[in-house]
Amino acid sequence: MFVNNNYKQGILAFQSDYLKIISKFKLNNITLEELSIFIDEITTFWLSNITSIEYYLENVIDSKYKILYTGGVYLSDKGYDHYYFKSLGDMHIIPDPLMKIENLLRAPKEDINRDKFIAYFKRTLLATKNILNRYPNKFNILPVFEILEKNKIQWDYNSTDRYLSFLSSIFNDEIKDREYFNRTYKSYNEIQKAISPIILKKIIFTDNKDSNLDICDRIDRFIKINNTHNIYHGSEQEIFYLVLFSIFCQI
């Protein structure tokens, strides 16, 4: 891969500015309101620079040597131990993980456990800072989805509408809003019966073992492994809706 260092320096300059923004945020006694303001500041920073970022990305690598890899690889052995991540190439672009939290902040406050949510945010923030500090020339955190949205590349601005459309397709039912879903499907058992067995096997929360589990066991396993017991609470249909939404937003 042939990287044009002049354009790469432009991208690294944005990484430096971004690191300064997230480093100044104080983690002591934070509130959800302060967290929302912080996410808004990050969003404003990216959107105000998105045109320049696109320019650098267009020119940083010779088009003959660009390789686009999307998705992820989950490697584990029988004991759930994970292999080290092996990166290939000279540049790796990661979507801003902090901006993904914005989707969770949109949920009604009664659906959010404040302490668990803030603890999750802190872990994400510290991991992001760690990547930028330890691998400044390898991993580049950029507003990937915002760039896709700006260019209308298979990206719909309204994630809720996209999610409801997705739900409608797997349930073969016109699900117009969350309230309709909660009224219509009142338990894990009703949810499982409403989904085609073929589709049901494809709904993966953790790994391929999910395809052999009931919906209830899949969700319990997902929550246990991710230690998010108090983030997802409420009725069974509400937990299903939120867990599937959190997975959907990562696509």
Side-chain angles (χ1 to χ4, degrees):
M1 184 181 292
F2 293 88
V3 176
N4 187 313
N5 286 322
N6 291 328
Y7 293 109
K8 184 176 181 179
Q9 289 305 313
I11 292 175
L12 293 179
F14 286 118
Q15 301 299 281
S16 177
D17 292 341
Y18 174 70
L19 180 58
K20 289 177 183 177
I21 291 174
I22 65 175
S23 295
K24 71 181 183 182
F25 188 75
K26 305 301 181 184
L27 293 176
N28 296 326
N29 301 317
I30 61 176
T31 65
L32 291 177
E33 290 73 20
E34 290 172 331
L35 201 158
S36 295
I37 293 172
F38 173 62
I39 297 298
D40 285 343
E41 183 179 358
I42 292 175
T43 301
T44 300
F45 167 73
W46 286 131
L47 293 182
S48 63
N49 292 291
I50 198 166
T51 301
S52 297
I53 294 170
E54 285 184 283
Y55 172 74
Y56 288 123
L57 288 175
E58 284 290 331
N59 294 281
V60 69
I61 301 171
D62 189 303
S63 61
K64 292 184 296 183
Y65 301 100
K66 290 179 184 177
I67 298 177
L68 175 64
Y69 172 70
T70 61
V73 177
Y74 185 90
L75 299 175
S76 63
D77 61 17
K78 189 173 182 179
Y80 299 109
D81 296 319
H82 299 82
Y83 295 96
Y84 289 106
F85 172 75
K86 176 63 177 177
S87 61
L88 304 173
D90 300 314
M91 285 190 67
H92 308 85
I93 298 171
I94 303 172
D96 187 341
L98 294 174
M99 291 186 71
K100 287 188 175 183
I101 292 176
E102 181 182 8
N103 291 316
L104 297 176
L105 281 172
R106 294 176 183 171
K109 288 186 178 180
E110 60 269 20
D111 291 336
I112 302 176
N113 181 288
R114 176 192 174 280
D115 294 337
K116 291 293 183 180
F117 185 86
I118 289 177
Y120 174 74
F121 165 75
K122 287 180 178 180
R123 293 197 303 271
T124 304
L125 178 63
L126 292 173
T128 302
K129 289 167 62 177
N130 186 44
I131 289 173
L132 291 173
N133 281 315
R134 294 182 63 184
Y135 311 103
N137 294 314
K138 283 290 183 182
F139 294 95
N140 303 272
I141 294 176
L142 294 172
V144 173
F145 295 124
E146 285 65 34
I147 291 173
L148 292 176
E149 177 186 312
K150 179 174 179 289
N151 290 279
K152 303 183 186 301
I153 303 177
Q154 299 179 352
W155 189 256
D156 186 348
Y157 177 78
N158 194 319
S159 58
T160 300
D161 284 348
R162 290 188 300 111
Y163 179 58
L164 291 173
S165 177
F166 170 70
L167 277 182
S168 297
S169 67
I170 66 174
F171 282 88
N172 194 27
D173 183 12
E174 188 176 355
I175 300 174
K176 295 181 178 180
D177 53 40
R178 181 173 174 175
E179 289 71 25
Y180 173 86
F181 180 83
N182 288 338
R183 289 195 310 269
T184 307
Y185 307 98
K186 298 179 180 179
S187 67
Y188 290 143
N189 187 47
E190 288 187 16
I191 289 170
Q192 183 155 322
K193 287 181 178 178
I195 303 174
S196 162
I198 296 176
I199 295 176
L200 193 63
K201 277 187 169 291
K202 303 299 182 182
I203 299 178
I204 303 298
F205 295 128
T206 304
D207 56 36
N208 287 335
K209 293 181 180 180
D210 280 357
S211 61
N212 297 316
L213 300 175
D214 290 338
I215 285 292
C216 177
D217 294 332
R218 295 182 204 190
I219 290 178
D220 287 346
R221 183 167 176 257
F222 171 84
I223 291 174
K224 181 179 180 180
I225 289 176
N226 290 280
N227 193 27
T228 53
H229 298 80
N230 292 320
I231 291 181
Y232 303 107
H233 58 88
S235 64
E236 291 184 352
Q237 67 268 37
E238 288 171 335
I239 294 173
F240 174 86
Y241 185 98
L242 290 172
V243 170
L244 188 60
F245 182 68
S246 69
I247 299 295
F248 180 81
C249 288
Q250 297 177 40
I251 299 175

